[in-house]
Structure formats: C-alpha cells, structure tokens
C-alpha cells in the first residue's frame, strides 16, 4: 500500500501542470497570515505612511520616472507599485503584503519554467523550487513590504531569462525583444540589475551550440540598454551614496558578508530583521562553502554549463549590494538582497548529480522542507508590527543607533517618556555625531 501511494505521488509530480499548481499554492498558504501584518517602522515610513499625498495621485506614476527615490536611487517600478497598491487598498497594510505574496508566486512560476528549460525533470524542478518557496531567508523579501524591491527585480530577471532561453531555442526575434524589455524593466526596479548582462551572457553560453551566433547580437543590445539607462539615471539622480570606509575595509567587509550570506542559504539559524557584518557569525558560512565543494567533488553535475550559470547567479546577484553596503557605517546586510541568489542556489541543487536512492532523497527533501517551513512560520512574527520588528532588531543588532531612535520615538508616542529617554540616550551614545530625528 505504501509503495503504491509513493508511486502515485511520484507520478503526480511528473505532471508539469499539477506540479506547478501545488508549487504556487504552497507559498500562498505559508504567507497567508502575513496579510494581517502591519507596516514596519523602517522604510515604509517614508515610502508609504508619510507619502500619502504623492501616492494618492495617478499622475505620480509618470513622476516616478523623472524623480529619484530617496535622493540616491532610481527605482520607478518600486514606487509605481506602491501607487497602484494605494489606489486599491489605501493605507491598509494588507494590500501591500498581498502584492508581495503575488510577486513571490509569479517569480516561482517563471523559475520553475527556467528549471525545466535547463533540462531538469519535472520532479527535480518541483523539489528545488518548493525548497526556494519555503526558505525562511526569503521572509525579508516577502513578509517585509520594502523587501519588494528585490522581488520585483527578480521577477523581471527571471522573465528575461525565460524569454532569452526561448530565443536561443527557437531563434524568434519576438522572444529577444521580450527578453530585452524585461531587462530594461529590471534596471528600472533596482540598480543591481546592471550586473545582469554578465549573467545573461553566461546563460547564453550554456545554451545549445547552433544558436550561439545570436549571442553577440543579444549582448550588444543589452549593452546599449544599459548605457541608455545609465545616462537617464545620471541625469535624474544627482546625489550619490557616501562611502564611509576605505577600499581595504570595504573589501574585507564584503568578503565577510558573502561568507555570512552563504551560511544563511543552507543553515538559516542566525537570521535577523536587521543583520550586519558585526552580528553575523562566519562559521556556518565557511561550513556551507566546504560542504558545497565536497558535494560537487563527490557527486559532480548533470550539466556542467548550467551548473556554472547557476553559480554565477548566486555570486553576481549579491556582489554589488554587498560591496556598497559594506562601505556604510552600519554595514547592514539585509536578507532580502538574497532573493535572486537563492534562485541560483535552487538551480545548483537541481544540477547536482545526486547518486543516492530515491528513498534517501525523499527523506532529505521532507526534512529540509519541514525545517524551512517551520522556521518561516516562527520567524514571520518578527515582521508582524512595529514593536515586533523593533524588539527583534534591537536584540540582534544592539549597536544600531537608528533602531534605538525608532524605539525611543515609539515609546514617546505612547507617552512612556522614561523609556523614550533611555533609548534616545542609547542612540546618542552610540552615534553622537549623526543623530536621527
């Protein structure tokens, strides 16, 4: 009876439509409770809560393409999504959370298709994308409203990959145009997209030999789009982020951050709503890198070029945000920045030639899905409301003066002046030369 049931499940997962349907339902069930969450005390304050006049005007959809975001960013699609949310749900947080969940689901759908394009079986593609969908490190992208920037970025990135693969498989120019359009949209979502042409180049190299001649045209078009975007951005954004560290410190901080991120990809037990280099232990990251190297040596890969492409996604999607954040005085390494890289990790797992029995593989998958799902449900409460976020952030990162100020403001509004004074005092003691009001 048990063998018959297992066989039925395996046959079910070999049906592409059925597997995709289950894959899309699972993250919705996981994040359903997030629809009841409030805004956090961080970026939503200036993006949404203190910006109602701007969000309430439809004409603002045009203005986001001509005005910088927070003076140093150019992310019209991010701000535009908040405008649409406002006109549907007003200042109710559930609408903004719902959009995040839907964007997550759309990402998973395209990622699943890309996994199939990379010669994974339906069962393998389903397994690795379900692990991605349930992974607790994605909470900062899905359950935290400002994490949407990376989810939108990822969506256009994977749409671009999907159509690029179709272009190389068919040679149809319509697919190339859709691929280029998706890339342009990713640039308008977050600056990290400037590294995507390199990933697209590696992806094209990994495809079938007979269409390799089209890769040059693809690359030239990506370069032209990037140059145009850069010119527009330089025209609109006149203020740049200030680097507060020397080159060597920035380099060392970046190396530490990359190792820290690696640890959270496999062993997500030191997560935080406000992580920094200083409060991240590097041992899990080092263990993870050694483990992945050992797995690669022992088992090898199913398709070497697809494996190389997957590794490039993991590394390159993180390198720019890590580099620039490592120069800031607070050295935050937000987990929402891992969203695209986690897709790359899922692809890596799917490209490993696991020479183990189906029974052992099934047990491992169930074990990791259970751990990831439970951790996600537990940690999701950290994003529930302002106080939940602040308490967790202050516990994980007690030297962050901004959080101390936010806690002080929270208690001041609650008329708990004694607590407010304590936190204002802590904040000034931590950073006396850079107060926040």
């Amino acid at each position: 009876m048990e063998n018959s049931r297992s066989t039925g499940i395996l046959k079910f997962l070999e049906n592409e439509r059925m597997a995709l349907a289950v894959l899309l339902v699972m993250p919705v069930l996981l994040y359903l409770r997030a629809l009841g969450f409030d805004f956090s005390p961080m970026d939503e304050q200036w993006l949404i809560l203190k910006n109602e006049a701007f969000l309430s005007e439809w004409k603002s959809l045009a203005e986001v393409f001509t005005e910088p975001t927070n003076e140093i960013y150019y992310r019209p699609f991010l701000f535009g999504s908040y405008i649409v949310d406002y006109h549907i749900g007003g200042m109710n947080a559930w609408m903004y959370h719902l959009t995040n969940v839907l964007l997550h689901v759309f990402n998973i759908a395209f990622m699943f298709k890309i996994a199939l394009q990379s010669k994974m079986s339906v069962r393998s593609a389903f397994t690795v994308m379900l692990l991605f969908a349930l992974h607790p490190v994605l909470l900062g992208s899905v359950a935290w409203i400002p994490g949407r920037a990376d989810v939108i970025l990822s969506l256009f990135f994977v749409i671009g990959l999907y159509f690029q693969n179709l272009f190389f498989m068919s040679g149809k120019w319509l697919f190339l145009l859709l691929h280029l359009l998706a890339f342009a949209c990713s640039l308008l979502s977050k600056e990290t997209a400037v590294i995507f042409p390199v990933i697209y180049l590696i992806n094209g190299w990994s495809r079938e030999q007979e269409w390799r001649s089209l890769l040059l045209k693809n690359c030239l078009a990506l370069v032209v789009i990037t140059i145009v975007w850069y010119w527009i951005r330089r025209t609109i954004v006149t203020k740049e982020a200030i680097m507060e560290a020397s080159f060597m410190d920035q380099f060392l901080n970046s190396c530490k951050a990359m190792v820290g991120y690696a640890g959270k990809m496999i062993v997500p037990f030191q997560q935080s709503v406000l992580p920094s280099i200083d409060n991240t232990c590097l041992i899990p990251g080092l263990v993870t890198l050694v483990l992945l190297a050992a797995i690669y040596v022992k088992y090898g890969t199913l398709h070497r070029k697809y494996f190389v492409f997957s590794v490039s996604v993991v590394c390159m999607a993180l390198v720019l945000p890590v580099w620039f954040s490592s120069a800031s005085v607070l050295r935050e390494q937000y987990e929402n920045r891992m969203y695209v890289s986690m897709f790359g990790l899922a692809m890596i797992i799917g490209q490993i030639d696991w020479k183990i029995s189906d029974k052992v593989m099934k047990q491992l998958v169930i074990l990791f899905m259970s751990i990831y799902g439970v951790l996600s449900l537990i940690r999701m409460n950290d994003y529930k409301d302002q106080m939940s976020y602040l308490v967790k952030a202050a516990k994980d990162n007690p030297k962050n003066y901004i959080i101390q100020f936010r806690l002080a403001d929270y208690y001041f509004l609650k008329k708990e002046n004694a607590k407010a004074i304590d936190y204002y005092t802590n904040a000034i003691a931590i950073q006396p030369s850079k107060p926040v009001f």
Side-chain angles (χ1 to χ4, degrees):
M1 176 68 77
E2 186 176 348
N3 289 336
S4 176
R5 187 180 305 155
S6 299
T7 302
I9 293 174
L10 292 177
K11 286 184 177 179
F12 176 81
L13 294 180
E14 288 169 359
N15 184 304
E16 182 179 335
R17 290 185 178 180
M18 291 296 184
L20 180 59
V22 174
L23 196 57
L24 300 184
V25 169
M26 292 298 286
V28 172
L29 295 177
L30 175 65
Y31 286 99
L32 196 60
R33 57 198 294 260
L35 301 186
F37 288 1
D38 202 351
F39 296 105
S40 86
M42 300 301 286
D43 294 11
E44 295 101 306
Q45 300 300 311
W46 61 269
L47 281 171
I48 301 170
L49 296 177
K50 296 178 181 179
N51 205 28
E52 185 173 5
F54 182 80
L55 298 177
S56 64
E57 298 288 341
W58 279 114
K59 66 180 181 181
S60 299
L61 279 175
E63 293 179 21
V64 297
F65 288 91
T66 58
E67 299 290 336
T69 302
N70 199 27
E71 296 186 331
I72 60 174
Y73 303 117
Y74 183 58
R75 301 175 181 179
F77 276 26
L78 174 63
F79 233 134
S81 70
Y82 292 139
I83 293 171
V84 174
D85 282 348
Y86 178 86
H87 282 274
I88 298 175
M91 299 299 283
N92 296 303
W94 68 265
M95 183 63 228
Y96 302 83
H97 284 294
L98 176 61
T99 300
N100 277 27
V101 175
L102 292 177
L103 289 169
H104 183 45
V105 169
F106 289 139
N107 264 283
I108 293 168
F110 277 98
M111 290 174 181
F112 177 70
K113 290 291 188 180
I114 292 168
L116 295 178
Q117 289 176 334
S118 302
K119 297 184 179 179
M120 285 190 210
S121 66
V122 174
R123 192 195 313 177
S124 295
F126 171 83
T127 301
V128 297
M129 290 311 152
L130 185 59
L131 290 171
F132 169 87
L134 301 179
H135 203 294
V137 85
L138 300 186
L139 286 169
S141 304
V142 186
W144 188 47
I145 294 170
R148 178 186 303 182
D150 291 273
V151 187
I152 295 177
L153 171 74
S154 175
L155 180 58
F156 287 122
F157 169 63
V158 294
I159 290 175
L161 275 178
Y162 176 72
F163 284 115
Q164 185 188 38
N165 291 340
L166 289 181
F167 171 60
F168 284 119
M169 288 188 288
S170 67
K172 294 183 179 179
W173 294 99
L174 174 61
F175 293 138
L176 176 62
L177 291 175
L178 292 173
H179 157 68
L180 296 174
L181 177 61
F183 170 62
C185 292
S186 68
L187 287 169
L188 298 175
S189 302
K190 193 174 182 180
E191 292 80 358
T192 305
V194 75
I195 201 72
F196 287 170
V198 181
I199 302 177
Y200 287 138
L201 173 63
I202 297 173
N203 181 58
W205 164 80
S206 72
R207 297 292 126 182
E208 298 298 331
Q209 179 71 34
E210 56 265 27
W211 295 111
R212 196 94 37 93
S213 60
L214 299 174
L215 187 56
L216 179 60
K217 297 181 179 66
N218 188 177
C219 291
L220 288 174
L222 291 171
V223 169
V224 170
I225 291 172
T226 303
I227 292 173
V228 171
W229 166 81
Y230 180 77
W231 177 78
I232 294 173
R233 186 184 183 279
R234 289 286 295 179
T235 302
I236 294 173
V237 180
T238 57
K239 183 178 179 180
E240 296 295 336
I242 300 174
M243 297 297 184
E244 299 171 307
S246 66
F247 176 85
M248 184 54 65
D249 286 340
Q250 192 174 1
F251 175 76
L252 293 175
N253 290 338
S254 297
C255 293
K256 293 177 184 178
M258 292 295 281
V259 174
Y261 277 133
K264 294 181 181 183
M265 287 181 177
I266 303 294
V267 190
F269 291 107
Q270 54 169 349
Q271 289 183 252
S272 172
V273 296
L274 194 64
S276 72
I277 298 171
D278 299 323
N279 68 3
T280 301
C281 178
L282 301 183
I283 294 177
L286 294 172
V287 171
T288 296
L289 292 174
V290 171
L291 177 63
L292 289 174
I295 290 173
Y296 172 76
V297 171
K298 180 175 177 59
Y299 295 109
T301 63
L302 293 170
H303 305 95
R304 184 179 62 87
K305 290 183 179 180
Y306 293 155
F307 180 84
V308 172
F309 158 73
S310 303
V311 172
S312 75
V313 174
V314 173
C315 299
M316 292 184 185
L318 274 176
V319 66
L320 286 182
V322 163
W323 175 255
F324 286 103
S325 61
S326 295
S328 70
V329 66
L330 296 174
R331 297 190 289 184
E332 302 109 324
Q333 299 296 339
Y334 289 105
E335 291 164 4
N336 56 283
R337 296 168 181 162
M338 299 174 66
Y339 195 91
V340 176
S341 291
M342 289 304 298
F343 162 62
L345 178 66
M347 295 290 287
I348 287 175
I349 295 172
Q351 291 297 337
I352 295 291
D353 185 13
W354 300 99
K355 300 179 179 71
I356 55 180
S357 67
D358 286 345
K359 181 179 180 181
V360 173
M361 177 59 76
K362 183 172 72 172
Q363 291 172 343
L364 285 173
V365 170
I366 292 174
L367 174 64
F368 275 93
M369 282 196 300
S370 300
I371 293 173
Y372 289 170
V374 170
L375 285 176
S376 292
L377 287 171
I378 293 173
R379 282 206 63 248
M380 202 177 296
N381 283 327
D382 295 340
Y383 298 91
K384 184 177 181 180
D385 50 36
Q386 291 195 36
M387 196 57 187
S388 299
Y389 187 100
L390 288 170
V391 168
K392 179 64 174 173
K395 179 181 177 181
D396 293 342
N397 201 343
K399 294 183 179 181
N400 188 298
Y401 71 97
I402 293 178
I403 292 301
Q404 299 295 320
F405 267 110
R406 294 287 183 267
L407 278 165
D409 290 342
Y410 179 86
Y411 284 115
F412 177 75
L413 293 174
K414 294 287 186 181
K415 301 189 184 301
E416 297 183 39
N417 295 334
K419 290 184 178 180
I421 291 172
D422 287 341
Y423 282 110
Y424 280 130
T425 303
N426 290 342
I428 294 171
I430 295 170
Q431 190 64 261
S433 63
K434 201 170 185 179
V436 175
F437 299 100

